[in-house]
């Protein structure tokens, strides 16, 4: 069975959650990273656990000063690494620890290529769909299945109230794209946007506790024409809004020209930048083109400016990219942005499968994770078609937890394979309940098994309905192992004398 | 709309099917590879289209003699390549064209790294589940969604009748694993197996028209101990059966010692070998180990023996492999087996997600396809848990069509990207019906769209419920394109004068 356990740090209020899965027999329990949070009554919200840890410094400033904050100790325990590694990676800008001082309810987590690959889930209302309650439920649902951060991309009515409800109930960092709300404030007319409206919006969201913000400060006026002849133009909402503003005013992007002041704001709340890729490709045809990489160069420039202000930075990446062009994205981003964490949307490796883009993109996400991307923004089956509902959120998170874990394995992350080994050992030993409990989605694994072999005895059967009793290779191998243990030649003789049955069905009647 | 069209070759009975998708406006129709077959009444079966093409020679012998058979011409049209390329690839052993002379109902297809990556779907009854009618329905269902070949892995009762029904209704090549039926003939006792029983089974299946057969001739006695200390031992059913036989008799694998005679049989019917990887890894922990690669070396040896008998060969591969160990599998297989087509099961890139192994393995399948694997054997959501039903078959085929097409794109297969480009162009131009019709699964794409915007006008709306009207980046970009076409500076002025609206909602009421 699965239960939540806490590992205490050097002070009693550093309590790091893990999901502990008890196994049958003398198999040791397995501890997994746990994003689900302590649970809350939506009307009350979560307790402000980190309130006593507040200092006047950002995590980056503390790290640079050689200080290991309680947040850093927390993530060190969570990731099973030395706290000094955490501090050093943050100090170097290679990892971010997003914690707005006004979101003390969150459990610290870290995003960087030296650590476990993380998954973000996007939720949020749109003008034509969803409600506040639904969004809070999507938040807890997403983190239950393993989302490490959640972005509230609400664009309809009640943006402020929706965000407030989400933050107060979020044990994970919350990200936003402030330009969406700024646009609502000017009645949806991009041309009426201004630095003042944007700044006011950032302050409003900062006060609420948003931990990281996507800012499309790299969509520069001269880059816009580079996107005009693409198959799918500009597909980032923020990117297209800023491009429209730049063109209408024939003036440079106000996010770029006011970036220093924006950094001062971000530093005040210790908000992390997620520098948006407003010119990311929206189709296979547009991948890795000049528009995309021109913006990436500017994001590299902005990274250094933010760092000068002690503001943490991650860099957003595509999008739609065929497999052979994925590695170039990571290599170039790491070079241009001096190792700042990469945070990519997929990428989708083909455009042909709307309704299955959690799969087209899990392929790209796993690969880009292997190459060093630190966080993967999920894509749900509804991508390109509509707003994700509860089932879509789960499907997206599960697909991306698979991609992230596959990347952890490929990177040789210490401890990652222990989960696979525990599950495979349970599988080989026909410990069905252990196999279900260790699964990323125990309920569905159990339901699929029971669909063809529902009887209780089948849970201890040494086969499943896939092959049936006579053809279970695992059963046969277990017998082989026993012979091997006793000397094969000798056993060969004995085996034949005993009637030569390799399989004695456990549940004949099934 | 989608309709079937035929392209005629140099003789009137060479008629190659394509799915043609008509688009709206002046957009040219798109033609896609079509595996769905002409359709049949299960009680009657398909017409024997290829009966007049029979010769005494195998496709490999013909290719070596410089002859372009009607089958080769058929696949050349299907793949849009020169027939001489098809002939040369078959002659060199780098591609196979599986056509049992007794399965004249099938439409020729080719498996090789120079061609489109193919997908195989496994179906078949087990001792505890399914019926003949269900299996024929799974066959037509699998090919409807794009399965290029189907393996009948039935292990329960009525194996012969199930296979007969499947072959007579199959417009795709059918593969089997004859050892399964051979084992039924000796009442499920591997020790009682013999070359004679196996040979009799091969002849029975050859007469019915099986196009390719998995044979575990590489599971040699000295390799068995190499698998004993694995986390998951031997997970191939055929592999474990042969290992049990070898150990019980302490004798070399009879498939290996009688391989020349088996080749003569295969040549008589022009059956293609699918040399089984009986020692493939069944967990991340066991990937790329000595047991696996020892067997692969033997498969390389057997490949050359088969070729001497004019028998076509493909090589089966794993299984469970973490991403960073995938490429080594292809490189070694291509080297040891002199370029014979590789045919892999996934591989699954992590063990932690039973119920989602179509996704864990689509990641590995896409990558191994990019590295040169010619055919991908699907994995369904029920893998490790139970027998796939109709929904699982579809989920598996769709995930693998995505993987195969992503690999075609990454390999730069000529023409592959045209499908993506057509769909992305339709998406960008808000041609919703065209986007649905071009989708790998039009029904599901349409249903997902309609879930939040069901009204008919939404099908022509310039947005979807994901972002709503104000935030549709594609809409904004389209406006930008128009400005660009007229000179940006000039348009900037005009745009502001006109009121500065970048978006004029088409369907305000939604």
């Amino acid at each position: 069975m699965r239960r939540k356990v806490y590992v205490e740090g050097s002070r009693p209020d550093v309590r790091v959650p893990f999901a502990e899965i008890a196994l049958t027999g003398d198999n040791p329990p397995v501890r997994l990273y746990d994003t689900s949070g302590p649970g809350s009554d939506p009307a009350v919200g979560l307790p402000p656990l980190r309130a006593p840890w507040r200092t006047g410094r950002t995590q980056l400033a503390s790290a640079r000063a050689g200080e290991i904050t309680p947040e850093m100790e927390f993530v060190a325990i969570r990731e099973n690494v030395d706290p000094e590694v955490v501090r050093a990676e943050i100090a170097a800008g290679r990892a971010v620890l997003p914690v707005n001082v006004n979101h003390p309810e969150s459990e610290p987590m870290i995003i960087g290529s030296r650590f476990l690959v993380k998954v973000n889930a996007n939720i949020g209302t749109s003008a034509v769909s969803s409600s506040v309650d639904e969004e809070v439920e999507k938040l807890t649902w997403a983190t239950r299945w393993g989302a490490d951060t959640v972005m509230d991309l609400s664009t309809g009515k009640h943006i402020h109230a929706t965000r407030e409800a989400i933050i107060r109930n979020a044990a994970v960092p919350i990200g936003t794209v402030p330009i969406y709300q700024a646009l609502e404030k000017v009645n949806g007319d991009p041309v009426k946007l201004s630095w003042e409206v944007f700044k006011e919006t950032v302050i409003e969201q900062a006060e609420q506790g948003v931990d990281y913000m996507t800012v499309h400060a790299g969509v520069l006026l001269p880059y816009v024409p580079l996107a005009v002849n693409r198959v799918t133009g500009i597909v980032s909402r923020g990117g297209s809004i800023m491009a429209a503003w730049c063109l209408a005013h024939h003036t440079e992007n106000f996010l770029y020209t006011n970036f220093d002041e924006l950094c001062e704001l971000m530093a005040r709340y210790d908000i992390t930048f997620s520098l948006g890729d407003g010119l990311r490709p929206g189709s296979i045809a547009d991948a890795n083109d000049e528009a995309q990489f021109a913006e990436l160069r500017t994001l590299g420039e902005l990274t250094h400016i933010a760092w000068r202000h002690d503001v943490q930075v991650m860099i957003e990446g595509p999008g739609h990219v065929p497999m052979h062009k994925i590695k170039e994205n990571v290599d170039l981003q790491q070079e241009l942005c001096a190792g700042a964490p990469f945070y990519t949307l997929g990428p989708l490796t083909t455009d042909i499968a709307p309704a299955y883009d959690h799969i087209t993109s899990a392929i790209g996400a796993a690969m880009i994770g292997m190459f060093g991307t630190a966080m993967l923004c999920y894509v749900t089956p509804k991508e390109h078609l509509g707003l994700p509902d509860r089932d879509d959120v789960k499907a997206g998170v599960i697909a991306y937890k698979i991609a992230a874990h596959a990347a952890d394995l490929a990177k040789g992350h210490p401890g990652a394979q222990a989960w696979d080994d525990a599950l495979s050992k349970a599988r080989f030993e026909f410990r069905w309940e252990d196999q279900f409990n260790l699964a990323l989605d125990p309920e569905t694994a159990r339901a699929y098994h029971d669909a063809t072999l529902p009887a209780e005895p089948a849970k201890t059967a040494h086969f499943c309905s896939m092959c049936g009793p006579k053809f279970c290779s695992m059963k046969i191998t277990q017998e082989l192992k026993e012979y091997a243990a006793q000397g094969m030649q000798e056993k060969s003789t004995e085996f034949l004398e005993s009637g030569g049955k390799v399989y004695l069905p456990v549940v004949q009647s099934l």
Side-chain angles (χ1 to χ4, degrees), chain A:
Chain A
M1 298 312 309
R2 184 178 289 236
R3 67 184 181 116
K4 198 185 283 282
V5 296
Y6 288 91
V7 174
E8 204 172 289
S10 64
R11 45 189 285 175
D13 59 350
V14 171
R15 296 176 69 241
V16 183
F18 290 91
E20 187 175 272
I21 297 158
L23 302 181
T24 57
D26 54 2
N27 296 285
V30 173
R31 280 192 181 173
L32 301 176
Y33 194 103
D34 179 29
T35 58
S36 65
S40 63
D41 172 355
V44 179
L46 288 163
L49 289 170
R50 289 189 303 98
W53 305 351
R54 269 186 213 167
T55 66
R57 283 203 290 217
T58 70
Q59 295 292 326
L60 178 52
S62 299
R64 284 169 163 175
E67 185 201 348
I68 291 170
T69 62
E71 286 88 349
M72 295 176 203
E73 188 194 353
F74 192 105
V75 301
I77 296 171
R78 215 168 184 185
E79 301 265 350
N80 195 25
V81 297
D82 193 289
E84 175 53 25
V85 171
V86 173
R87 189 205 60 75
E89 289 296 298
I90 293 172
R94 288 190 299 265
V96 297
L97 200 164
V99 277
N100 185 320
V101 293
N102 292 331
H103 184 201
E105 299 92 341
S106 80
E107 294 171 335
M109 53 78 70
I110 194 163
I111 302 164
S113 61
R114 285 274 305 258
F115 304 98
L116 290 165
V117 175
K118 302 304 186 297
V119 171
N120 172 70
N122 290 337
I123 62 172
T125 54
S126 85
V128 293
S129 187
S130 200
S131 72
V132 174
D133 290 349
E134 276 177 69
E135 296 310 313
V136 173
E137 205 208 322
K138 279 185 202 166
L139 160 76
T140 52
W141 185 240
T143 56
R144 174 184 164 180
W145 294 110
D148 294 285
T149 75
V150 167
M151 289 193 81
D152 171 17
L153 303 185
S154 292
T155 56
K157 287 167 190 165
H158 316 302
I159 291 190
H160 186 97
T162 304
R163 189 169 50 236
E164 185 66 25
I166 287 174
I167 294 173
R168 298 286 77 81
N169 288 286
V172 299
I174 297 298
T176 59
V177 188
I179 200 79
Y180 296 173
Q181 190 184 6
L183 190 67
E184 298 283 354
K185 291 185 179 184
V186 294
N187 298 315
D189 181 353
V191 178
K192 296 221 170 69
L193 282 168
S194 65
W195 165 241
E196 287 66 32
V197 170
F198 184 79
K199 183 177 159 181
E200 173 198 301
T201 307
V202 167
I203 293 171
E204 175 187 336
Q205 300 196 3
E207 287 291 330
Q208 287 185 296
V210 170
D211 300 288
Y212 66 91
M213 292 183 185
T214 296
V215 176
H216 298 93
V219 180
L220 302 192
L221 180 60
Y223 303 161
V224 177
L226 298 175
V228 163
N229 289 319
R230 284 173 155 186
V231 168
T232 48
I234 301 176
V235 296
S236 152
R237 291 188 240 168
S240 60
I241 292 164
M242 292 317 300
W245 187 90
C246 291
L247 284 191
H249 294 278
H250 210 76
T251 303
E252 194 48 275
N253 184 333
F254 61 76
L255 300 170
Y256 180 80
T257 54
N258 292 280
F259 197 71
D260 272 301
E261 192 181 343
L262 183 56
C263 288
E264 287 165 21
L265 262 177
M266 303 287 272
R268 198 176 307 157
Y269 301 88
D270 202 357
I271 298 169
T272 298
F273 270 120
S274 187
L275 293 178
D277 55 335
L279 301 178
R280 69 170 175 269
S283 57
I284 291 298
D286 297 340
N288 295 24
D289 70 355
E290 182 49 27
Q292 182 192 339
F293 289 152
E295 181 186 26
L296 185 57
R297 282 189 289 275
T298 298
L299 299 187
E301 178 197 330
L302 296 172
T303 297
H304 289 282
I305 296 173
W307 284 347
R308 284 204 290 275
H309 290 275
D310 285 335
V311 176
Q312 304 185 88
V313 180
M314 53 186 173
I315 308 293
E316 295 186 7
H320 292 237
V321 184
M323 284 191 286
H324 63 300
K325 292 188 177 177
I326 288 176
K327 188 166 185 296
E328 185 185 9
N329 278 273
V330 187
D331 292 348
L332 203 58
Q333 182 274 335
Q334 288 289 295
E335 181 197 326
L336 294 173
C337 304
F342 204 23
Y343 166 31
T344 60
L345 177 68
L348 285 70
T349 54
T350 167
D351 305 339
I352 64 166
Y356 298 89
D357 281 328
H358 59 312
I359 299 179
T360 65
S361 68
I363 294 167
M367 289 180 70
I368 209 162
M370 172 172 69
F371 295 135
T373 292
M375 185 156 76
L376 308 169
C377 180
Y378 85 173
V379 170
T380 79
K382 287 274 170 63
E383 183 76 14
H384 301 117
L385 299 168
L387 208 65
D389 64 18
R390 187 184 153 94
D391 290 342
D392 300 315
V393 167
K394 179 178 172 183
V397 172
I398 294 275
Y400 273 69
K401 292 302 280 188
I402 289 168
H405 186 73
D408 289 336
L409 289 176
K411 286 164 68 178
H413 191 283
Q417 200 184 309
W419 187 2
D420 299 74
D421 292 352
L423 192 143
S424 286
K425 188 165 182 283
R427 178 176 286 156
F428 187 64
E429 293 172 358
F430 297 100
R431 290 184 277 116
W432 286 100
E433 285 298 334
D434 287 352
Q435 189 188 159
F436 300 148
N437 290 331
L438 283 164
L440 190 55
D441 178 357
E443 294 161 28
T444 305
R446 188 176 281 110
Y448 282 6
H449 173 271
D450 291 358
T452 37
L453 280 183
E456 254 326 290
K459 298 286 175 30
T460 51
H462 282 198
F463 60 89
C464 71
S465 70
M466 197 170 174
C467 307
K470 274 192 237 170
F471 284 87
C472 184
S473 58
M474 294 220 178
K475 178 66 193 155
I476 298 174
T477 313
Q478 288 204 334
E479 310 251 351
L480 295 180
K481 274 181 101 151
E482 287 163 27
Y483 309 147
Q486 297 171 52
M488 287 206 192
Q489 179 61 67
E490 184 191 328
K491 285 306 296 176
S492 168
T493 315
E494 189 189 309
F495 179 59
L496 285 172
E497 284 169 357
S498 77
K501 286 281 182 209
V502 287
Y503 181 68
L504 302 169
V506 173
V507 191
Q508 282 276 20
S509 60
L510 286 172

